[in-house]
C-alpha cells in the first residue's frame, strides 16, 4: 500500500465549541465514530479530526505548548469568488477571527484567511486555473 494522507488532527481547547464552529461555519456534520472525546469530519477521502489539545500533545510525546503560528494553513478551495465570500462571512458569524479579508491575490486568484476558535489558520480561495471533478475534488 502506498502512503496516503488520511487524517488531519487539530488539537482543540474546547471540543464541543470547536465542533459547533465547524458545523455552523462550514456545514460539516460529525461522522461515524465521533463522541465526547473526538470528532471526525469526513471530507471524502481525508478526515479532519478534532481532539483535545493536551491529549494530542501527550499522544505525540510532545509538550503542550502552542505558538501563534505553527507553520501550517488549511485551505478550502471554491469554484467562484462569490462562494469564497459566503464561506468567509459564515465563518466570521460562527466565531472565526478575521485575519485577511478576501481580496484579489498576487497569483491571480481571490481569497482570504480566518482563524478558527483555536487559532488554526484557514484560507478560503478561488483559483481560476484549478478545476474540480464531479465529486468536488480538486484536480491538480
Amino acid at each position: 500500500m502506498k502512503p496516503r494522507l488520511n487524517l488531519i488532527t487539530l488539537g482543540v481547547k474546547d471540543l464541543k465549541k470547536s465542533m459547533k464552529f465547524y458545523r455552523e461555519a462550514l456545514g460539516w456534520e460529525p461522522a461515524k465514530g465521533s463522541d465526547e472525546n473526538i470528532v471526525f469530519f469526513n471530507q471524502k477521502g481525508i478526515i479532519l479530526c478534532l481532539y483535545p489539545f493536551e491529549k494530542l500533545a501527550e499522544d505525540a510525546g510532545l509538550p503542550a505548548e502552542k505558538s501563534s503560528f505553527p507553520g501550517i494553513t488549511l485551505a478550502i478551495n471554491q469554484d467562484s469568488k462569490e462562494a469564497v465570500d459566503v464561506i468567509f462571512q459564515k465563518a466570521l458569524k460562527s466565531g472565526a477571527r478575521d485575519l485577511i479579508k478576501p481580496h484579489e491575490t498576487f497569483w491571480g486568484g481571490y481569497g482570504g484567511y480566518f482563524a478558527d476558535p483555536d487559532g488554526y489558520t484557514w484560507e478560503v480561495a478561488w483559483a481560476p486555473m484549478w478545476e474540480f471533478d464531479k465529486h468536488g475534488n480538486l484536480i491538480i
Side-chain angles (χ1 to χ4, degrees):
M1 184 166 96
K2 291 184 180 183
R4 179 179 176 179
L5 179 63
N6 299 107
L7 299 167
I8 296 172
T9 304
L10 302 179
V12 299
K13 294 176 191 168
D14 183 328
L15 189 62
K16 287 182 182 179
K17 180 180 178 181
S18 293
M19 179 182 68
K20 181 180 178 194
F21 171 79
Y22 285 98
R23 287 178 87 175
E24 291 178 0
L26 304 176
W28 295 349
E29 290 298 323
K32 180 180 175 183
S34 297
D35 59 29
E36 66 277 354
N37 299 303
I38 192 166
V39 176
F40 301 104
F41 294 106
N42 187 343
Q43 297 300 294
K44 301 189 192 280
I46 296 178
I47 307 299
L48 178 70
C49 307
L50 305 178
Y51 192 65
F53 185 82
E54 291 186 3
K55 288 182 179 181
L56 184 59
E58 180 183 341
D59 192 48
L62 297 168
E65 299 169 3
K66 189 175 180 183
S67 72
S68 61
F69 181 65
I72 185 172
T73 63
L74 302 162
I76 299 169
N77 291 283
Q78 294 297 294
D79 59 1
S80 70
K81 294 177 185 181
E82 295 78 19
V84 169
D85 290 334
V86 168
I87 289 178
F88 194 84
Q89 289 306 312
K90 197 170 184 182
L92 295 183
K93 288 177 185 171
S94 299
R97 186 167 41 98
D98 183 349
L99 299 177
I100 299 176
K101 292 189 183 325
H103 63 283
E104 300 290 333
T105 66
F106 71 91
W107 46 267
Y110 181 79
Y113 287 87
F114 66 83
D116 76 2
D118 289 281
Y120 290 106
T121 304
W122 283 86
E123 177 186 24
V124 182
W126 165 79
M129 67 291 276
W130 285 353
E131 296 179 45
F132 297 88
D133 68 16
K134 66 180 180 178
H135 303 290
N137 296 315
L138 182 62
I139 300 169
I140 293 185

